[in-house]
Amino acid sequence: MQRGYLARKLHERRAQILLPSVLLAPIFILVIYLLFETAKVSMTKVRHQFALDNAAYSQVSSASTYLNAMAMVNGPLPFRVMRFYGSEDKKIYHKDQAAAPWGHDISIFELFYLSGAVPGALGDKDGRKANLRPAPESVDWRVHYVEEHPDGNQAQTKQGDPVITSRKDWEKEQPAPPGNTVVRLISQTLVDNYHFPGGKLGIPLLTQYLTTYVYDGSIYKSQDYVFKEVTKNQIMFREAYFLNVSNCKRSECGRESAAKLRPFLSLRTKPFEIEKFEVFFSDGGAKRGDTHGRAISSVLDVPNLLSGQKLFQFAYLDPSSRSKLRSLKRGILLKQKFQLPRNHFNINLEQKYKPYVRTKVSLSCPRNNNNCVWPNPLPKYNVTLDP
């Protein structure tokens, strides 16, 4: 009786869907497994792509931070400090009392600037204005030492502003270190014409100048040390990669890409330092109308003043680093193989497809040679990633 009932039901029209349904059920299960395994592969690739992008950006950002810091200590920082300290309300008086109404008095900053002891910014005309700020969109801050007149030492950048010290040999990509050469920091011509006695004026101002550049050199050394530490064995790259994936060992994560990037981030700068310098002080008083005598020379040994240290002025890139920066401007292509998770079909996808992720990382500043460190420093290095 039951057989007859089943036979009748199977011959009914509505029962014809049963057999195909039984046959399609495994196919539906297979499709679900395929979707699941495809999602696993996709998630793994996305995770490794993010890890590579994050690692590359983090590691190259350490270089951009370092280079921008070098550009700042090479001019804008000491310029701003000395500009603030030598503001317009602090004057160095001209020896001629009648000269004051024509604006021949100079500020403390101008004394050092016109002597070639500190660079200016935005050119000579704008660089002496109070509250100087370059425009945000500016790609040339014009950080230079005062220019020497081509006819000789008696240059006149402004009426009554004689210049005696040229820094043309300093403003090169590869300047020659001064060594034991005596560098003149205070112009004799200026002191011949302005009240700059050593007692209550000259020595305190010189001390302020030396303190500014000692701190400047300390910042340089700290930044240089930090950069070398974070680029040693590409530690930032490997750590960032490891923390964003879950299927590789700390010592193995991102090894290929780290090895490809390592040679381009071994950037090195050299400090330009002074060992001996000469300054001049006037023989007389500091006030307008005081007796103004001759300029008295004083040659000082920096290591004796600074407990064995030399006086930092700026830092410049070595030739190898300038070459690496040109390559970094074009971009470094990174390819990183990664391991796929096991699947329910026991198929070795890595052997078949050799999966990898890629990114192109660039480090550039707004100059064709990609050197914004020295001369004419500009702290505008940026990192970009391209797929």
Side-chain angles (χ1 to χ4, degrees), residues 307-356:
S307 303
Q309 299 183 53
K310 299 177 183 179
L311 185 62
F312 175 85
Q313 293 290 289
F314 56 85
Y316 59 94
L317 293 161
D318 63 18
S320 174
S321 297
R322 295 199 298 270
S323 176
K324 293 168 185 175
L325 281 177
R326 288 192 289 271
S327 298
L328 282 167
K329 186 180 181 69
R330 294 189 294 268
I332 309 300
L333 181 62
L334 304 177
K335 291 185 177 181
Q336 180 62 47
K337 297 177 182 178
F338 63 94
Q339 183 180 2
L340 290 173
R342 296 183 60 183
N343 55 73
H344 288 84
F345 305 102
N346 202 26
I347 298 175
N348 191 339
L349 296 176
E350 293 178 38
Q351 184 178 4
K352 186 175 179 63
Y353 296 105
K354 297 179 174 57
Y356 68 89

Side-chain angles (χ1 to χ4, degrees), residues 204-219:
L205 292 182
L206 181 61
T207 301
Q208 175 66 26
Y209 171 84
L210 295 176
T211 301
T212 298
Y213 272 94
V214 166
Y215 285 146
D216 203 39
S218 177
I219 294 172

Side-chain angles (χ1 to χ4, degrees), residues 81-286:
V81 173
M82 293 302 297
R83 188 69 187 80
F84 172 79
Y85 182 74
S87 57
E88 291 296 328
D89 60 337
K90 300 175 182 177
K91 292 290 186 180
I92 305 294
Y93 295 113
H94 196 278
K95 67 177 182 179
D96 184 359
Q97 297 184 54
W102 284 271
H104 286 224
D105 295 336
I106 59 175
S107 66
I108 294 172
F109 167 74
E110 288 176 306
L111 176 74
F112 288 100
Y113 170 66
L114 294 172
S115 297
V118 63
L122 289 190
D124 179 73
K125 181 179 179 181
D126 297 328
R128 297 199 228 173
K129 292 181 179 178
N131 300 321
L132 170 69
R133 288 183 178 85
E137 67 276 7
S138 172
V139 294
D140 186 3
W141 288 9
R142 290 178 286 164
V143 179
H144 296 287
Y145 289 98
V146 65
E147 294 183 5
E148 182 185 28
H149 196 277
D151 295 335
N153 287 336
Q154 298 299 321
Q156 300 287 329
T157 58
K158 176 182 170 184
Q159 188 178 11
D161 292 347
V163 179
I164 196 165
T165 305
S166 172
R167 300 291 189 236
K168 288 183 178 179
D169 292 338
W170 290 14
E171 294 196 66
K172 297 178 179 178
E173 285 191 333
Q174 191 76 21
N180 287 324
T181 303
V182 177
V183 177
R184 184 169 292 179
L185 292 183
I186 300 294
S187 165
Q188 180 180 2
T189 307
L190 284 172
V191 178
D192 279 337
N193 291 278
Y194 291 89
H195 291 277
F196 191 65
K200 293 184 178 181
L201 182 63
I203 292 177
L205 292 182
L206 181 61
T207 301
Q208 175 66 26
Y209 171 84
L210 295 176
T211 301
T212 298
Y213 272 94
V214 166
Y215 285 146
D216 203 39
S218 177
I219 294 172
Y220 161 73
K221 292 176 182 177
S222 298
Q223 291 291 332
D224 192 61
Y225 172 79
V226 170
F227 176 69
K228 289 177 180 177
E229 288 297 310
V230 298
T231 54
K232 187 183 297 181
N233 298 322
Q234 302 299 288
I235 183 64
M236 287 186 68
F237 186 97
R238 294 186 294 107
E239 285 293 319
Y241 202 105
F242 170 76
L243 293 173
N244 282 287
V245 296
S246 58
N247 60 345
C248 70
K249 297 180 180 179
R250 186 186 294 267
S251 60
E252 298 293 330
C253 279
R255 171 176 286 187
E256 295 173 63
S257 298
K260 179 70 177 294
L261 193 59
R262 182 182 296 114
F264 298 99
L265 293 185
S266 57
L267 305 173
R268 295 295 178 261
T269 57
K270 296 182 178 180
F272 187 93
E273 298 174 316
I274 294 174
E275 296 184 31
K276 294 182 179 180
F277 65 85
E278 180 183 28
V279 293
F280 288 87
F281 300 109
S282 58
D283 183 10

Side-chain angles (χ1 to χ4, degrees), residues 20-40:
S21 299
V22 173
L23 296 176
L24 287 174
I27 297 176
F28 284 127
I29 296 173
L30 181 61
V31 169
I32 292 172
Y33 271 107
L34 284 173
L35 291 174
F36 178 73
E37 295 297 339
T38 303
K40 282 170 55 179

